[in-house]
Amino acid sequence: MKEYRVSGELMKGFIGNISYEVVLPVDLDQIAIEVSFEKRMMEDITEEDRKACMKAYQENVGESPEEREIIRMLKGQKTEINVSVFHNEAYLGCAHLDEMTKQIVISPEKASEGFRTWKFHGGVLKIVLHVHQILNQNTPHQVVIKREEKL
């Protein structure tokens, strides 16, 4: 089994997509992908965070929140990263389960929930991280792609 691994850190407030591409050999039996991140819940709640929460509440609800509601909202927020997979631009699926580690398996016979079975014949595998919000500075993330080549 061959492995491709990449990791990095995301800054607080980052929202966007990050793509990783890997060239695949001609024939593969299976691809296994693992995407993980840390620092899910807010670590250091600043006055700026409190003010942003109060402002959003007022804009959406039309009144000022009570202190307990502010605390509930700030403590309930979480970092969220979803994952889409493409092969030669064909969409294979998306994992948007509420998990810090997403494990995806794709082969001609089986596929993880949210993905379709697929036969890999070389080309480019693209993993896209959909980052919805990063709550903490220097939030680590990692992508591991394992491929089983045909014998």
Side-chain angles (χ1 to χ4, degrees):
M1 179 169 301
K2 305 264 177 140
E3 184 175 290
Y4 170 81
R5 180 182 300 262
V6 64
S7 61
E9 290 186 346
L10 299 170
M11 296 171 49
K12 181 177 181 175
F14 178 82
I15 297 173
N17 296 316
I18 303 169
S19 296
Y20 296 102
E21 295 185 3
V22 176
V23 176
L24 299 176
V26 176
D27 286 325
L28 295 174
D29 283 329
Q30 174 176 296
I31 293 285
I33 302 163
E34 181 177 289
V35 176
S36 60
F37 64 93
E38 298 177 25
K39 298 186 179 183
R40 179 178 211 169
M41 306 307 283
M42 259 180 134
E43 292 178 340
D44 299 314
I45 299 172
T46 66
E47 188 58 32
E48 183 180 326
D49 295 326
R50 291 177 59 76
K51 287 179 182 176
C53 178
M54 290 171 49
K55 180 181 178 194
Y57 189 93
Q58 287 173 324
E59 289 175 356
N60 289 286
V61 179
E63 58 187 52
S64 295
E66 294 180 14
E67 181 63 22
R68 68 180 179 351
E69 185 64 13
I70 295 170
I71 292 168
R72 185 193 67 76
M73 288 186 296
L74 289 172
K75 290 191 175 203
Q77 289 193 60
K78 57 190 174 209
T79 290
E80 186 62 41
I81 300 175
N82 297 329
V83 183
S84 290
V85 178
F86 300 83
H87 179 242
N88 294 333
E89 299 302 320
Y91 176 72
L92 303 185
C94 184
H96 46 84
L97 300 172
D98 190 16
E99 300 170 338
M100 291 175 63
T101 299
K102 293 172 175 53
Q103 296 181 326
I104 303 158
V105 174
I106 302 171
S107 76
E109 296 82 30
K110 63 181 177 181
S112 297
E113 184 177 355
F115 295 85
R116 63 181 174 171
T117 57
W118 191 257
K119 189 167 185 170
F120 294 96
H121 289 295
V124 177
L125 180 73
K126 179 165 57 172
I127 311 297
V128 180
L129 306 185
H130 307 285
V131 182
H132 296 285
Q133 76 176 344
I134 299 296
L135 297 175
N136 301 292
Q137 202 61 279
N138 305 318
T139 297
H141 74 284
Q142 176 174 270
V143 177
V144 178
I145 301 167
K146 296 178 183 177
R147 63 182 204 234
E148 287 187 21
E149 296 181 11
K150 289 194 175 204
L151 299 174

